[in-house]
Amino acid sequence: MCSYLHRAPNGVYYFRMGIPANLRPFMAGKREIKRSLGLKDRDAAKAVIPDMTKAAHALLRQAERDRDTAAKSVAKPLPPKSAAALERERSRWEAEQQHSDNLADALFASDMEIERLSPIMDAVAAGIEPDAPVSDIVRAGKLAVEHERETAGALVASLHARYGQSAHASEGQIQAVECEPATASGLYLDKDILDRWASERGVVPKGKDTHRAVAEWFYARTERKPVERITRQDVLAFKDKLLAEGQTVSNTNMKLSRLRTLLGWAYQNDLAPANVAEGISVKVADSGKGKRLPFALDELQAIFASPVYANGERPKQGKGEAAYWLPLLGLFTGARLEEIGQLRVSDVQRREYPDQDGKMLAGWFLHITESTDERGQANRIKNAASERLVPLHPELERLGFITYVEKLKDQQGRVFPDLVPNIYGRLTAKWGEWFGPYMRKVCGITDKRKVFHSFRHTFKDYTRRAKVPEGIQRQLMGHAGKDVADDYGSGYDLHSLAEAMASYRVPGLAIPDPVR
């Protein structure tokens, strides 16, 4: 047995060694030492493990020395933080989480709109008058123009990145002159880092293309250099140049987010000394226009008294039972839409756990994880903190969720088999196209800041009202911790999570029994 050897879903072997909790603060807060061996042959990978083990132990010994040195030079303990200071930190952290979620929402909404309007865009490009509402034709035309500009911009960025500033665009025309390709050693964002990141994470082609374009934009506006030499000043300069060129705040933040992803992966794999893009974004005054809002009680009542719930209707575009269960799961788990939509039957698990007195209890949990099953169907999550066990709320059991799952014909497949992935692999994209208009036209919720993601905000509000500890809220919702201390230990136990979930209530909301 080779205990430090692990095989990734793509077949590549990794060296992985856990870092003791007391040494993590002296190793950048990491939980483990992880190195890609770049090999798919197990015997070849095993042969390099001894050397990797020696190197890893050397790193741990250095961390021990750093810990001992720090212990000897400890100054007087810092005074405890005031309640006001703690509240400011909490508010700041929640604002960062909100910003991250809003970016993810915007990317998702953009992809869905492009997919919905792509047939109209193709017809316009071919000179055919499409059979569609005028508003959709106008929007499709604008998207087509934006797409052409983005494609041209990415091409220019690619030329800049490969040949320096001798290739440039002027007055909308791409011009290139003879010049020597830039050469340098090291690992570069637009090739080496991009390829390794996409391979390890199983990124779909569109995701890889969008991140490559951002890396090329970055190099075109700064300087082509290996990832370990990229500085925080480079990222700040990139942000300033995007804004100076007329990029919108939303587009600028999306590009910075994708750049942050690549630099963060390089840092996590010890290919860069830091994620120099961390925390860099365009900060604007919150006008409230783009902010996702929680549902008010009367809006929740409108949703759960609508024909799907009151009359047992199952609209075709609502994908069968997904129309009924997805909003309920959103309200009673706080999970993201795709996290719920991609659940497999095997992810609905009966778990035993001890209470505080050691008495064994049992309950149902949803296992939200990133994996690929034997059929090659992949589940994806937002980040490492998103992998979690979420207790099933008693109301979901009362309404028959477990009975529904147990009666599914394919017990090796998805919980919602009628959901079909779009071209980018998102199972809930088409369903989201149905749910938005259903909310607006049938349920009467016209505020565009109220979307499916509003269930997540609603869950957050009501867990606060139930006085659920903030750390448990974060673990239930798959949010990353606020500081290094949150990485200590293995998180809250199943009993604490189940107790917290059972305390969650939406006072005044009555959901009717399902129509059989």
Side-chain angles (χ1 to χ4, degrees), residues 206-414:
K206 178 182 182 295
K208 186 174 179 181
D209 289 344
T210 57
H211 284 75
R212 177 188 290 109
V214 166
E216 292 173 344
W217 275 60
F218 173 74
Y219 278 140
R221 286 154 179 79
T222 55
E223 174 187 351
R224 184 166 179 80
K225 60 175 70 171
V227 66
E228 67 270 17
R229 289 179 46 212
I230 295 173
T231 66
R232 194 167 181 82
Q233 286 67 37
D234 293 327
V235 179
L236 290 168
F238 177 57
K239 179 190 73 170
D240 292 342
K241 288 183 179 179
L242 288 175
L243 293 172
E245 292 169 9
Q247 291 287 318
T248 65
V249 169
S250 176
N251 283 339
T252 300
N253 278 332
M254 283 186 191
K255 288 178 171 61
L256 289 170
S257 176
R258 288 165 177 157
L259 180 65
R260 187 161 50 246
T261 295
L262 294 177
L263 290 170
W265 185 89
Y267 167 60
Q268 291 161 9
N269 289 271
D270 288 341
L271 301 175
N275 182 356
V276 294
E278 190 64 40
I280 296 179
S281 63
V282 182
K283 304 295 192 299
V284 293
D286 184 7
S287 65
K289 291 182 179 178
K291 184 178 180 181
R292 301 303 186 214
L293 297 179
F295 289 117
L297 178 59
D298 63 332
E299 292 168 331
L300 291 174
Q301 291 170 331
I303 292 171
F304 296 111
S306 67
V308 165
Y309 297 92
N311 305 332
E313 292 184 7
R314 297 294 182 266
K316 182 178 179 180
Q317 288 183 309
K319 307 299 181 183
E321 290 301 307
Y324 180 86
W325 288 112
L326 290 184
L328 284 170
L329 287 164
L331 177 63
F332 287 103
T333 67
R336 302 170 179 94
L337 176 57
E338 188 69 7
E339 289 176 339
I340 303 168
Q342 68 186 4
L343 285 171
R344 301 188 183 97
V345 173
S346 59
D347 294 325
V348 183
Q349 303 174 356
R350 183 77 172 171
R351 294 281 187 118
E352 292 189 348
Y353 56 88
D355 66 8
Q356 65 267 29
D357 298 320
K359 178 183 176 181
M360 293 306 295
L361 304 173
W364 289 98
F365 292 80
L366 302 181
H367 189 203
I368 296 175
T369 185
E370 182 168 303
S371 62
T372 302
D373 64 16
E374 295 177 353
R375 303 177 183 181
Q377 296 177 325
N379 280 5
R380 294 186 176 86
I381 55 178
K382 184 176 178 182
N383 51 44
S386 299
E387 183 161 344
R388 62 201 188 275
L389 282 166
V390 180
L392 196 70
H393 193 279
E395 182 70 354
L396 293 172
E397 289 195 54
R398 182 189 75 80
L399 293 169
F401 180 69
I402 297 302
T403 302
Y404 160 71
V405 173
E406 289 177 340
K407 288 183 177 179
L408 286 168
K409 292 181 181 179
D410 185 2
Q411 288 290 303
Q412 306 302 315
R414 303 275 189 190

